[in-house]
Amino acid sequence: MRIPLIAGNWKMHTIRSEAETLARAVVQACEGLQDREVMIAPPFTALATVAATVAGAKVALGAQNVAWEAKGAFTGEIAPPMLLDIGCRYAIVGHSERRQIFGETDALINRRLTGALAHGLTPVLCVGETLDEREAGQTLAVLERQVRAGLAGTTAENPVVIAYEPVWAIGTGKTATSAQAQEAHAFIRNLLAELHGQESADRTRILYGGSVKPSNVDELMAQPDIDGALVGGAALDGESFARIIHFQ
Ligand code: 13P
C-alpha cells in the first residue's frame, strides 16, 4: 500500500551545467518506471534548471530546506510559495546537517514542517541518532523526541514522509545493518500509529538514509518497514542512482 520513494539529496553540490547532466541521467533511469517514485533535491540555485530538465518526466522535485512564512524579512531563507512556483512538491526538513552544523532545533524544524504543510508542500522530516547517542543506548529515545517534536501540531491527514538517517552512517560508508534500520523504522511506525492512528502510520513512508549504495539498497528495501531511501553521495553519480532506483 506504500509506494516506495527513492530520493536523492544533492546537498551543496552541482552548478547548473552539472545539475542538468545529472537530472538528465535521472530522467533516463525513470523511463517506464511504474511501481516506485523518484524525487531529487538539488541546491536552490539549480532548481529552475532541474525543473526544466525533468518537465514531463516521472521525477519529483524537492527542496533541501524551507522557511515557514509566505514572504517577509527572512534573509537567506526560501519561502514555500517560491518552491511551489519553481515546481517543488517536497521539502526536506531537519536534516542532521541542518541540526548539527547550523544549530536547527526540534522547535525550529517543526515550524518549517508545519509551514511546508500549510502551503501544500510534502515535508520529508529527517531524524536520527548520533554515534554517541547510539552507544549510550539512547537511539529510540532520540527518535521519539525528534518525531514527536517534528510532527507537533500535525494531523493524520497531513502528508509527511519520515527519513531515518543515523548520523553515524551519513557520508561515512557505514550503513546501518538492515536489522538496525528495520528496528528503528518499526519503532517510528508504532509511534506514528500512537500519534495519528494505525491507518495513517500504515500509509506513511519511512525512508532510510546513510550510505545507501547499489550494493546495499536491495537488502535495505527488503525490510518490511523501509519504504524508500534518501541518498546523498550515491545520488551524485547517475549510474549509481539509477541502480538504486531500480532496487529489486
Ligand atoms: P550519504 O548517502 O552520502 O551517506 O548521505 C545520506 C544523507 O544525508 C541523505 O540526506
Side-chain angles (χ1 to χ4, degrees):
M1 75 186 293
R2 296 183 292 270
I3 298 170
L5 173 63
I6 303 294
N9 173 10
W10 294 4
K11 306 193 181 183
M12 198 170 71
H13 294 282
T14 70
I15 57 171
R16 287 175 301 165
S17 54
E18 296 163 336
E20 188 177 339
T21 305
L22 189 50
R24 268 192 217 292
V26 177
V27 167
Q28 210 172 15
C30 290
E31 268 167 30
L33 213 57
Q34 296 275 324
D35 56 349
R36 54 201 71 185
E37 286 177 20
V38 173
M39 180 268 267
I40 47 180
F44 292 118
T45 48
L47 279 172
T49 301
V50 172
T53 308
V54 305
K58 268 194 67 181
V59 180
L61 203 55
Q64 295 178 18
N65 206 357
V66 61
W68 49 92
E69 295 286 347
K71 58 170 131 174
F74 296 91
T75 302
E77 291 286 324
I78 308 286
M82 298 170 181
L83 296 175
L84 290 164
D85 178 51
I86 218 160
C88 288
R89 268 181 43 212
Y90 292 94
I92 296 170
V93 297
H95 192 280
S96 65
E97 288 146 19
R98 299 303 316 173
R99 295 176 189 265
Q100 296 211 307
I101 306 170
F102 300 100
E104 293 200 8
T105 60
D106 283 324
L108 182 83
I109 291 158
N110 175 248
R111 291 187 83 174
R112 295 191 185 281
L113 182 137
T114 51
L117 284 170
H119 288 92
L121 284 163
T122 297
V124 179
L125 171 66
C126 300
V127 297
E129 80 288 0
T130 63
L131 186 58
D132 284 352
E133 289 164 341
R134 175 162 283 266
E135 286 176 348
Q138 293 168 353
T139 298
L140 301 183
V142 168
L143 296 181
E144 177 161 4
R145 189 198 78 225
Q146 292 178 340
V147 170
R148 278 187 191 278
L151 296 183
T154 64
T155 71
E157 279 66 50
N158 292 138
V160 293
V161 175
I162 309 281
Y164 169 59
E165 298 205 308
V167 179
W168 49 271
I170 295 178
T172 58
K174 278 187 215 158
T175 323
T177 63
S178 47
Q180 282 171 324
Q182 168 57 27
E183 184 196 15
H185 283 229
F187 175 79
I188 292 168
R189 199 175 311 283
N190 282 335
L191 184 56
L192 291 175
E194 197 187 303
L195 291 172
H196 288 330
Q198 193 64 48
E199 202 242 332
S200 168
D202 286 341
R203 216 179 331 113
T204 302
R205 290 177 293 187
I206 307 176
L207 317 183
Y208 169 79
S211 298
V212 175
K213 333 176 242 255
S215 58
N216 59 27
V217 66
D218 298 339
E219 194 188 334
L220 287 162
M221 289 305 298
Q223 304 303 310
D225 288 295
I226 299 184
D227 310 313
L230 184 54
V231 187
L236 294 171
D237 179 272
E239 245 174 75
S240 294
F241 193 58
R243 171 62 185 86
I244 292 169
I245 289 169
H246 289 275
F247 72 87
Q248 280 139 24

